[in-house]
Amino acid sequence: MGFENTAGAAKHQAVGIRVLSDQSIFYNCRFDGYQDTLYAHSHRQFYRDCTISGTIDFLFGDAAAVFQNCTLLVRKPLPNQACPITAHGREDPKETTGFVLQGCTIAGEADYLAVKESSKAYLGRPWKAYSKTIIMDTFIPDFIAAEGWQQWKGNFGIDTLFYSEARNTGPGAGVTGRVTWPGIKKLSDEDILGYTPAKYIQGDEWIPSKGVPYTPGLFAGTGLATVAASSDSTQAGSSSNTTGTGPAAAPQAGSSSNTTGSGPAAAPQAGAENGEVLVLTLKITIP
């Protein structure tokens, strides 16, 4: 199953798909675009064995979403543009939303790798003030900037966001050079368990019956599998975000200023019924 927006980097914001339904599941799907590819808008979502490609903020929204064993593929942007991968949009600290990348792989297309020195990639940036993203047991390549996370505009959100990295691998996984904003968190072993799908999106209640591969806790071999499956972390569920526009264009590499792009193209809404596994192919062609 594939979803593609062919607008290209020059057309700026161009959503490939917008997902709003609770208990959404995507298995072995591909989402291709450039800026703002996958709009994980709201509610609980689970992605397994999927590939998501893009240039800027290509995984964004305010859902409580777990991406398990997925590939995040960075594509070539416009000259000297930076490539932040995630842009979570939590606006209220009471919202139990956030993105979790678990056992994923970050990679780059060949044409991006040719320009990686002038177009640095980042794990993400705060679209809204309480942006929340946890990356664990994920392969991080060398083209991810040493700072790890990128500012949105000035100091916006750096005190109130919630970003954490845990037990990642790869040449870009070292945290020595990471930004030291107040919102950067170091999670305990039990905290990490709270962001597995069984705990964070109550996955045991609705994912197994759909027949897709699903690891409710930590992947085997992470070193935490024997920790008791309990956590004080808040379980995720509803979202109050109703914004219909995606993040603006990313600043040029090395810059903290934000460059505004055009509004996102109209996107299909996925998952008409809760818990539905979608079976369709959709390609959006922009002339």
Side-chain angles (χ1 to χ4, degrees):
M1 182 194 321
F3 305 84
E4 182 179 10
N5 190 313
T6 62
K11 295 292 181 69
H12 302 289
Q13 294 157 292
V15 175
I17 184 170
R18 182 175 63 169
V19 185
L20 296 90
S21 66
D22 191 31
Q23 301 182 9
S24 300
I25 298 175
F26 291 86
Y27 167 56
N28 198 25
C29 296
R30 185 167 182 122
F31 307 87
D32 289 311
Y34 290 84
Q35 184 175 347
D36 296 352
T37 303
L38 172 54
Y39 190 177
H41 183 279
S42 52
H43 301 297
R44 293 171 295 177
Q45 303 179 17
F46 180 69
Y47 298 78
R48 173 74 189 218
D49 300 349
C50 293
T51 296
I52 306 155
S53 75
T55 55
I56 299 167
D57 305 330
F58 57 93
L59 176 52
F60 78 105
D62 191 20
V66 176
F67 299 83
Q68 194 173 79
N69 201 42
C70 293
T71 297
L72 290 305
L73 192 60
V74 182
R75 307 182 81 175
K76 181 181 178 181
L78 296 177
N80 299 312
Q81 276 188 325
C83 294
I85 295 171
T86 66
H88 191 258
R90 189 170 64 140
E91 297 185 276
D92 188 324
K94 297 184 180 67
E95 291 181 63
T96 56
T97 59
F99 290 160
V100 177
L101 274 58
Q102 182 190 20
C104 293
T105 297
I106 298 172
E109 289 189 343
D111 58 353
Y112 168 73
L113 296 178
V115 300
K116 66 180 183 179
E117 296 303 323
S118 60
S119 293
K120 291 291 186 182
Y122 295 83
L123 299 174
R125 60 178 184 154
W127 180 26
K128 303 296 181 182
Y130 294 91
S131 179
K132 186 172 186 177
T133 301
I134 296 91
I135 301 177
M136 60 183 183
D137 298 322
T138 288
F139 179 86
I140 301 178
D142 61 359
F143 61 74
I144 294 296
E147 298 89 341
W149 307 91
Q150 185 185 32
Q151 291 171 295
W152 183 269
K153 186 175 183 180
N155 292 328
F156 173 77
I158 66 172
D159 294 332
T160 51
L161 57 77
F162 187 111
Y163 288 164
S164 187
E165 301 172 61
R167 306 188 67 83
N168 298 312
T169 60
V175 297
T176 302
R178 292 293 195 256
V179 293
T180 56
W181 304 333
I184 301 295
K185 309 297 183 183
K186 182 175 176 58
L187 300 178
S188 69
D189 288 355
E190 290 194 3
D191 287 336
I192 293 168
L193 283 166
Y195 292 103
T196 56
K199 292 286 186 178
Y200 194 54
I201 55 174
Q202 303 83 52
D204 287 353
E205 299 175 9
W206 53 279
I207 298 175
S209 63
K210 303 304 184 293
V212 301
Y214 166 61
T215 302
L218 292 161
F219 287 172
T222 62
L224 296 179
T226 58
V227 178
S230 62
S231 173
D232 294 332
S233 299
T234 303
Q235 290 187 337
S238 62
S239 162
S240 64
N241 179 37
T242 56
T243 304
T245 57
Q252 294 184 344
S255 169
S256 62
S257 62
N258 183 47
T259 304
T260 303
S262 59
Q269 296 184 6
E273 297 185 9
N274 290 350
E276 181 179 5
V277 179
L278 299 181
V279 182
L280 56 89
T281 300
L282 180 64
K283 182 173 182 178
I284 301 174
T285 301
I286 307 298

